[in-house]
Every structure is written in C-alpha cells, then in structure tokens.
Amino acid sequence: MADEKPVTDVENHKSSDEYPSKEYDGAGAERGRQQSVNLNRNVTARIQNPLAGIPRDTLFRNVDEFAAEKGMTDLAPLLKKGALVAQDPPAFEQVEELDEEERDALRNEVLHKWRQPGALYFTVILCSIGAAVQGWDQTGSNGANLSWPIDFGVPDSGDDATDYNTWIVGIVNAGPYIGSAAIGCWCSDPLNFYIGRRGTIFFSAVFCFLSVFGSATAQNWWELFITRILLGVGMGSKASTVPIYAAENTPAAIRGGLVMSWQMWTAFGIFLGFCANLAVYDIGPIAWRLQLGSAFIPALPLLIGVYFCPESPRWYIKKGRYQNAFRSLCRLRNTPLQAARDLYYIHAQITEEADIIGKSNYVTRFIELFTIPRVRRATLASFVVMLAQQMCGINIIAFYSSTVFKQAGAGNLQALLASFGFGLVNFVFAWPAVWTIDTFGRRALLLFTFPQMAWTLLAAGLCFIIPEESRAHLGMIAFFIFLFAAFYSPGEGPVPFTYSAEVFPLSHREVGMSWAVATCLFWAAVLSITFPRLLRAFHPVGAFCFYAGLNVTALVLIFFFVPETKQRTLEELDYVFAVPTRTHASYMLFKALPWWFNRWVLFRKSARLEPLYTFDGATAADQVIAVKSGH
C-alpha cells in the first residue's frame, strides 16, 4: 500500500477540490489519472472510479508491480483483465482479453443478480442465525416480565407495585443493552483486529450461548441483572460485526438486500421468542426461566457454523494478506475474473483512503470519527439512523408488548397471543425490503415509513381512550400496533444496521460500527429503563403520543443528514460522504423539497429534480444501465 501519511496531514490537504495531476499507486508506479476528488471536501458531489483515466499501459504496469509486491505474479494476467473491467464496468463487452464465458458472468451480475455462489448464501444464512439470536434474546424477557418480578418480590403492576419496583424491572430488562453499549460494542474493534470477523462472531456466540443459562437459574433480581449484562457483551460485539461481515462479502448490486437480512432475521428471532413464550406459558413457576433460557437454541448453530464461512476479503486486505483475500473472493464470486476485479478495485480505493487517513490506533480511530470530515459525516448519518430506531418506538412494543396489552385489559394468555401477532407482522413485513432496499434505496424507505409510523402510533395511543368494556378497545389498539409494525419492518427495521455497516471507510469500519451499535443499544437501554416509569406517569395514551412526536423529529433529522447509499460499492461511498453536510442539507431544503412539493402535492409532471451527485468515469452502478439497455 501507499506510504501512509500521519493523521495530522488531513488538515494540510489543499482546500481546492482538485489535486495535482500525478498520483502514485501502492507499488510506486505513476498513475495516469488527470485529477482526483478530495475525499474530505467533495463540494462538487462527484463520485469517482479510482482507476478511471489511467492509460492501458500504465494500468498494466501498475498491476504487474502490484502482483509482484503481493506475491501473486501467477495471477497477473487475470488481474489485468479484472483491472480493465473495474476501470470501466459498462464497457466490459469491448475488453478484448475476455472470453465469452467471462462476459456471460458479467452480464449475469445484472440480469441474474441473485445467482450467487453457495458460499455467499451460507455466509448470509449464518449471519441470519446471528440476527435470530439477537431477536430471541430480546423477547425472552418480554414474556418473562409477567412472572419474574413477582417471584423476586418486585412486582411492577397491581396493588403491590411501587415506583422503586418499576425502576428495578426497567434496569433488569435494560441489562443486555447496558452490557452492549458499555462493553460489547467497544470490544468489537480490538477483537476484529486480532481474530477477524469470524473470530469475533464466535466470541459473541459463546457469551450468547452460556449467559442465558445463567439467566434461567438466577435466584434474585441482581443475579438476573448480571447475567443479562453478560448477554449484552455477546449481543454488542455480534451486532457490531455481523452486518459488517455481510456487507464486506456481498456484491454492491444485492448488498442491501442481503445485509438487511440482519433485521429480517432479528424480526424472525423476535417471532420465535414470542412462540417460545407461548409454548411454556402455562408450565407453572418455572415458565419465565424457560422463556429466558430458550434463547440458547439459535446460538448453538452459530457457534458451530461460523468457521465454515470464508473470512471477509476486505479484512484480509486490511491485514496485507492478499492471497487469502483472493481465495475468499473466489468462494464469494461466481468466477475468478470477478474475484480478481474486486480484489484490485478494493486495493486501488483503499490506497487512496490511506492517503487521507493514514495510520492510527484504537483511540485515535475513535477520535477520528469526529475529526476527519469524511468519517465524521458517516458518524453523523449512522448516529441519526440508529437513534431513530429507538425514537420510533418499536422497542416499547418489542420489550413491553405483553405489559402494554395487559394494561389494555388483556389476560396473560391474550397478552402473549397479541405479542405473538406483533412478532409475526414484524417478520412477514420485513420481506419486501429484500427487494425494495436496493431498488428504492435506504433513504427513500425511511422518508416514506416514518410519517406512517407516527400516525399509527398516535392512533394506537388514542385507542386507549375507548372504554375498556368495549370490544373495540383491545382490538383497535392491537390493530394499530400491528399496522405500526407493518410500516416499521420494511423501513427503519432493516436500514440502520445495513446503512451503518457500509458508510465507514475500511480503516474505521469496526470502530464506526461499534459507535453506531453502541448508540442504538444505549438508547435501547434508556428506553427499557424509563418506559415502565413513563407508562406509569403518562399512562399509555401519553406514552404512545410522546413516541409519535419523536417519529416526526426523526423524520426531519433523516431528511437533512442521511445521504443515499444504494448500489454503490463500499469504496465509492467515500465520495458520497466527502460531500459536505451543509451542501447535502442545502440541496435537500432548497431543491429536493420544492421538487417533491411540486411533483407530489401539486402533481406537476413537468417538475424536474437536478441530481446531487455527478459521476466522473464509470462506476459499478453504470454496469447495470449498460447491460439492461443492451437487453
């Protein structure tokens, strides 16, 4: 890789958007690029292919030197073909060096984008199991909340309830999120550095597997709290790593659809948790112990299966192990040509990234989340989408649905059945996002679903005003809660973890994801601690209306501070997040918003929106246009 400049050099970059015409690649060869975009201040919103404009002879010389430096000289001819394809993705049909089989494989990337190797899908399945563990861990306590406070002498409802008891119940339920936000998430960066993505997932699975047995055998509330803290260590390191692992292994065209499986299978885990709650509900005094302990079931295949998956090729590249990276890519792509193309393209972009960011340790990487402009914008955007997941109110249902439905007049069994219905809706309506997240985009899904979540939550809260003796009381509350879940699942459900896993540069991806997940789970802990008290003080009407208002606030934050990322490679996103926040917010306020009003309120079909981003040279998304226009 290129000689890495110290971090302080970031402040000394030219303020102009253009750099001098001569650049050098990782092996020292002069590159033929005419100009480069400033990755810290991309005021012209240009997205650039780092290989664009390099003369053929220079490109081949660069590849030869790269292959010699990395001990891959036997692959030099294949790497040259891959570099030619990466340089101009739409023009692969004109690359004379390719045979017809290789051209077919590149066409199929667009025409049959879901036709991927078994190793890729096995990796995604393992990641999905990791997500199911997360969901099941969340909902075990939901059903157990009806019993364990009484067993441990801290009832939070009925005549014996006190303010002290509601705080205790809230703190115990918040245990996994406190453990995640304070310990688990921040273990992720050093764990990933030393033992890789797979090793970190294995580490987290051990905690998720063993801690639930401790929860099931706890003898008082503080023992339960400690075991839930330990569960949080596994949940935090897993949630910080699994989406990154999935994002780094999947092609750009289907990355959103596959990475969002984290949320879809988290929803499935929530559903399975509700099923387990129902299955053991009438067993007797040990029911709540079985509800908490059953979460070991999905953790076991995660423990066993993770090392059958290929390691992340980007992690190997980060460690300088390019031959291992190529072997991983060969398992994750349909042909060696596609593996060679992705290997060299990732290397080229990371070389530019290193020129901006330089070397750093864990502490400086964390500080740089807020000091390096390109990274700071990703930090802000991931913070907004993760905070919005808690602001939207989904977890007041996921954590306390049984309690909420009981306050609506349901018995224990009815409350568990209504919670089961919520879990089912949450899972079923997550499926459309597999297609829509890469078609309509992350940002568009959020902007559409947040207004719907606001009014459905408001309606659910107002339905508590209906007299309790009316049959409509419980039915209407459940209906609007289910409708709320149906809007949440394809939008704010899958987007935050997908988005946060892709927005950070490779150098800061682990610590950035740790920050994002810690943000999410810290506020989940705050919600878990405060909601029982909020419910007691505001009553359900006030509590639900409060969260409806937070949905509107989250919508405004997303509109101004969350750029679109769909169908861009992880490396091309460097240019998206080089656009200054003020430029992005100004465009949204003065161009996008007036266009939306003219087009969709006044129904003026002549309204046209000037695009924010322009493209220098061909990027990966242009291959889609080129292939589809030819068919």
Side-chain angles (χ1 to χ4, degrees):
M1 295 180 69
D3 293 337
E4 295 182 316
K5 303 177 183 178
V7 176
T8 52
D9 282 1
V10 171
E11 304 301 328
N12 297 326
H13 277 296
K14 293 180 172 66
S15 60
S16 165
D17 296 325
E18 311 301 330
Y19 285 95
S21 59
K22 291 184 180 181
E23 299 182 2
Y24 297 85
D25 75 344
E30 184 178 324
R31 290 198 262 173
R33 295 264 305 276
Q34 296 303 308
Q35 55 189 1
S36 175
V37 173
N38 184 332
L39 288 183
N40 277 326
R41 187 168 176 78
N42 183 12
V43 294
T44 55
R46 286 161 44 211
I47 298 177
Q48 190 174 62
N49 182 331
L51 301 176
I54 301 178
R56 184 186 182 91
D57 291 344
T58 305
L59 181 66
F60 281 4
R61 185 167 68 251
N62 292 347
V63 171
D64 283 333
E65 295 187 4
F66 165 79
E69 181 184 340
K70 307 304 179 186
M72 304 174 72
T73 51
D74 56 321
L75 296 173
L78 183 62
L79 288 168
K80 288 176 182 177
K81 289 197 287 186
L84 287 171
V85 174
Q87 185 178 43
D88 193 359
F92 70 86
E93 299 278 9
Q94 283 74 53
V95 177
E96 297 175 357
E97 286 82 354
L98 301 184
D99 58 38
E100 193 56 34
E101 183 180 343
E102 290 168 332
R103 290 192 178 91
D104 277 342
L106 294 172
R107 293 184 198 113
N108 287 335
E109 281 187 323
V110 176
L111 300 176
H112 305 285
K113 66 181 182 179
W114 295 100
R115 190 181 293 169
Q116 300 292 337
L120 177 62
Y121 283 115
F122 182 76
T123 300
V124 172
I125 289 169
L126 247 291
C127 292
S128 301
I129 292 172
V133 174
Q134 202 89 352
W136 200 323
D137 287 334
Q138 288 179 14
T139 49
S141 62
N142 188 307
N145 283 338
L146 299 176
S147 305
W148 75 258
I150 298 171
D151 279 8
F152 290 160
V154 285
D156 63 333
S157 61
D159 296 336
D160 296 328
T162 65
D163 288 347
Y164 171 81
N165 290 354
T166 59
W167 285 116
I168 293 297
V169 171
I171 288 171
V172 171
N173 285 326
Y177 310 103
I178 295 170
S180 295
I183 305 171
C185 292
W186 303 111
C187 290
S188 176
D189 186 283
L191 285 170
N192 273 279
F193 182 83
Y194 289 109
I195 60 177
R197 311 287 190 242
R198 295 180 302 176
T200 304
I201 294 170
F202 180 83
F203 167 90
S204 67
V206 170
F207 273 83
C208 292
F209 181 74
L210 296 178
S211 62
V212 294
F213 290 110
S215 297
T217 56
Q219 299 302 304
N220 48 59
W221 71 261
W222 58 263
E223 285 183 7
L224 180 59
F225 176 64
I226 291 170
T227 59
R228 303 291 282 171
I229 288 277
L230 293 174
L231 173 63
V233 174
M235 287 173 61
S237 55
K238 173 160 55 64
S240 301
T241 302
V242 170
I244 289 177
Y245 181 56
E248 291 183 341
N249 284 354
T250 52
I254 58 171
R255 187 178 65 242
L258 291 185
V259 178
M260 69 77 54
S261 67
W262 168 264
Q263 176 58 32
M264 186 172 71
W265 294 103
T266 297
F268 184 60
I270 289 172
F271 171 66
L272 290 179
F274 284 130
C275 292
N277 290 345
L278 270 172
V280 301
Y281 125 87
D282 206 22
I283 283 181
I286 66 167
W288 69 265
R289 297 183 183 276
L290 296 177
Q291 288 168 339
L292 291 175
S294 63
F296 87 91
I297 295 171
L300 186 59
L302 184 66
L303 265 174
I304 296 170
V306 66
Y307 278 104
F308 290 96
C309 298
E311 181 58 274
S312 163
R314 285 176 171 87
W315 183 80
Y316 277 135
I317 290 173
K318 185 176 181 178
K319 306 300 285 185
R321 296 162 63 178
Y322 279 79
Q323 295 182 41
N324 289 339
F326 181 71
R327 283 193 287 270
S328 269
L329 280 167
C330 284
R331 293 181 65 189
L332 295 166
R333 299 295 182 264
N334 285 311
T335 65
L337 171 68
Q338 291 162 303
R341 174 200 62 191
D342 290 355
L343 180 76
Y344 193 72
Y345 186 85
I346 294 167
H347 163 76
Q349 185 60 61
I350 288 173
T351 299
E352 291 206 352
E353 222 175 73
D355 289 340
I356 295 294
I357 293 166
K359 292 181 179 178
S360 58
N361 57 39
Y362 187 17
V363 175
T364 58
R365 282 197 301 277
F366 177 77
I367 294 171
E368 287 162 3
L369 291 179
F370 310 97
T371 57
I372 295 179
R374 180 264 178 264
V375 184
R376 184 173 65 237
R377 295 178 195 112
T379 303
L380 174 62
S382 64
F383 173 81
V384 168
V385 295
M386 286 296 198
L387 179 63
Q389 190 169 71
Q390 304 308 321
M391 293 173 73
C392 78
I394 187 64
N395 284 332
I396 67 175
I397 313 299
F399 298 169
Y400 292 107
S401 62
S402 299
T403 305
V404 168
F405 286 125
K406 198 168 181 184
Q407 288 215 6
N412 279 7
L413 179 58
Q414 283 181 307
L416 288 171
L417 283 170
S419 296
F420 168 83
F422 162 77
L424 181 61
V425 170
N426 189 31
F427 173 59
V428 169
F429 281 86
W431 279 95
V434 173
W435 294 272
T436 58
I437 198 168
D438 283 317
T439 304
F440 299 109
R442 290 71 156 145
R443 175 185 166 84
L445 287 177
L446 296 180
L447 294 178
F448 171 74
T449 55
F450 262 93
Q452 320 311 322
M453 288 192 290
W455 74 260
T456 51
L457 209 56
L458 178 63
L462 294 176
C463 284
F464 277 90
I465 299 172
I466 298 173
E468 195 168 319
E469 58 272 14
S470 169
R471 295 178 64 183
H473 178 78
L474 179 59
M476 293 302 291
I477 291 170
F479 171 74
F480 282 112
I481 286 177
F482 292 171
L483 197 58
F484 166 79
F487 284 119
Y488 166 84
S489 293
E492 181 60 15
V495 168
F497 282 86
T498 302
Y499 191 88
S500 300
E502 63 192 6
V503 296
F504 292 98
L506 181 60
S507 56
H508 290 68
R509 194 160 292 156
E510 297 93 341
V511 71
M513 190 64 179
S514 298
W515 154 263
V517 175
T519 296
C520 180
L521 298 181
F522 169 77
W523 289 106
V526 171
L527 182 151
S528 185
I529 292 170
T530 59
F531 188 70
R533 186 70 188 94
L534 186 70
L535 202 59
R536 186 174 169 85
F538 283 15
H539 304 288
V541 177
F544 275 65
C545 291
F546 173 74
Y547 276 95
L550 290 182
N551 273 276
V552 177
T553 305
L555 175 67
V556 174
L557 292 173
I558 290 164
F559 182 77
F560 285 112
F561 301 123
V562 177
E564 184 56 81
T565 61
K566 69 167 183 173
Q567 293 189 350
R568 294 289 155 203
T569 69
L570 296 180
E571 288 67 43
E572 287 167 3
L573 292 179
D574 280 337
Y575 299 99
V576 171
F577 286 94
V579 176
T581 304
R582 181 176 297 180
T583 301
H584 182 269
S586 177
Y587 172 86
M588 293 303 159
L589 181 61
F590 296 112
K591 294 186 178 179
L593 187 60
W595 168 82
W596 180 88
F597 184 82
N598 279 302
R599 181 65 186 87
W600 300 110
V601 177
L602 302 180
F603 293 104
R604 293 176 178 169
K605 294 184 178 180
S606 60
R608 294 289 181 270
L609 178 63
E610 175 188 334
L612 171 60
Y613 303 110
T614 57
F615 307 101
D616 281 5
T619 55
D622 299 316
Q623 183 180 347
V624 176
I625 300 170
V627 172
K628 287 188 174 179
S629 63
H631 285 73

